[in-house]
Amino acid sequence: MRIVLVQVEDDADRASVRTAFRRPGGELADELAGAGHEVRELSLFLGDGYAGRSGLHAGGTEAASIGLARALESGEHDVLHVLGEKAGRVVEGVVGRRPWVWSFDEGDADSLDSGELWFPRGASLVLVPTIAVGDAIVRGGVPRSRVRVVAERLSTGVVRGPLDGVRVRATSLLTVMDGRGGTADVVRALSRLPGTHLTVLAGSEDEAARRRLRLLARQLHVEDRVHWHRLSDRPDAMRVVEGADVLVHVPHERLDLGPVLAAMSVTTAVVVTDLPDADGIVVNGCTGLRVPPAEPHRLALRLSILSADAAMRDEISLAARRFVRDELAAPLTTAAVLDSYSLVTRVRRSA
């Protein structure tokens, strides 16, 4: 099968929580090639941080569309697979009625911040990581028959080996700057957890939110226990996740699955908001803990119990890693993607 993968490369100068945990499209290309398929990658560079890199460079969507159209016309392919919102916006105006596959990519989904999930209405098939995302796209008008759930893929080699031992008491919490109220809830919970420290992962664009959280921490007298880690790249983010006792990700509206799955893969216990995004991934009391949104007092209570019970942390961390290993392994997710491609090739043949 001849496959073309299209993805917009992240601007290296604007690392964010989502882009730091985003899996490079090149890893999918390697897996598809390893399965015996001919793969061609088309990288779109819309930022200024990738001068000199090979790919389609463009200062805007119109220029990218022209370059993409020329690239697609230069060779035959059986499947066109477009990864993410930014590339989807470019491709939708180029491919016309030709069949193509689009994958939702949380890493570059700018529309998440506006509360209106973007998706291409012209794609033949839409691949989503969770049922919750699929339901949102169906509510937006895409027939359910064109939506398939393919589990979020993890970077090759992320899953860690046996536990090195768990501290008697969890004292190191990690959260991510989400801008949706959850980070402030973790800071409020910290005021009820003496002896516990919190690290906040934040991108370069989060300075205003950081100032507000610093003020809140000062008012709650926990400023000396809150530390900030500015993201640089995926390996850096993974080192921080692996060094924490517990990842606490409790936004009020939507979960970012990237940091949650990363934590599960390296046996860092996870506590998340009880939202549909976690269904089938974070099973309460089994692969993690789920708490009601916007209730920092109850969050503090669950964290105090988890902190004191090393056996519980061990149990849920190991269960989470087993889930990642058994359900999100690259061979399984790649096979699911290839199975989706077969639907599109049948559409091409019948057209």
Side-chain angles (χ1 to χ4, degrees), residues 68-149:
L68 177 63
R70 290 173 178 168
L72 291 178
E73 289 169 0
S74 66
E76 289 294 325
H77 59 270
D78 299 305
V79 175
L80 173 63
H81 186 174
V82 182
L83 307 173
E85 178 179 325
K86 296 183 180 71
R89 289 181 183 274
V90 174
V91 171
E92 190 170 38
V94 173
V95 296
R97 295 182 176 274
R98 288 176 290 182
W100 59 295
V101 179
W102 179 74
S103 286
F104 171 81
D105 181 353
E106 190 175 76
D108 79 345
D110 290 342
S111 59
L112 286 178
D113 295 326
S114 68
E116 296 181 2
L117 185 66
W118 184 89
F119 53 87
R121 298 182 182 277
S124 310
L125 198 65
V126 173
L127 307 185
V128 296
T130 65
I131 294 173
V133 174
D135 289 344
I137 289 176
V138 169
R139 288 194 297 269
V142 172
R144 193 171 291 276
S145 60
R146 285 165 50 195
V147 178
R148 292 198 69 176
V149 178

Side-chain angles (χ1 to χ4, degrees), residues 5 46 83 95 115 135 233 246-247 263 335:
L5 292 179
L46 304 182
L83 307 173
V95 296
D135 289 344
D233 53 25
V246 183
L247 173 76

Side-chain angles (χ1 to χ4, degrees), residues 243-266:
D245 294 323
V246 183
L247 173 76
V248 189
H249 182 46
V250 287
H252 296 174
E253 297 174 1
R254 281 194 58 87
L255 293 175
D256 291 329
L257 289 179
V260 174
L261 290 173
M264 293 171 69
S265 74
V266 294

Side-chain angles (χ1 to χ4, degrees), residues 173 189 193 246 248 271 298-308:
L173 303 181
L193 299 168
V246 183
V248 189
V271 177
R298 291 183 65 177
L299 172 62
L301 178 60
R302 297 302 294 273
L303 286 173
S304 65
I305 296 172
L306 187 64
S307 172

Side-chain angles (χ1 to χ4, degrees), residues 281-341:
I281 297 172
V282 181
V283 179
N284 193 38
C286 179
T287 57
L289 296 182
R290 294 169 64 153
V291 297
E295 293 195 22
H297 297 332
R298 291 183 65 177
L299 172 62
L301 178 60
R302 297 302 294 273
L303 286 173
S304 65
I305 296 172
L306 187 64
S307 172
D309 194 337
M312 178 194 290
R313 290 200 313 280
D314 235 348
E315 186 176 338
I316 65 174
S317 298
L318 288 168
R321 191 184 61 191
R322 282 194 296 270
F323 168 79
V324 168
R325 182 193 61 203
D326 297 341
E327 303 296 330
L328 304 181
L332 295 176
T333 55
T334 303
V337 171
L338 286 169
D339 186 48
S340 301
Y341 290 169

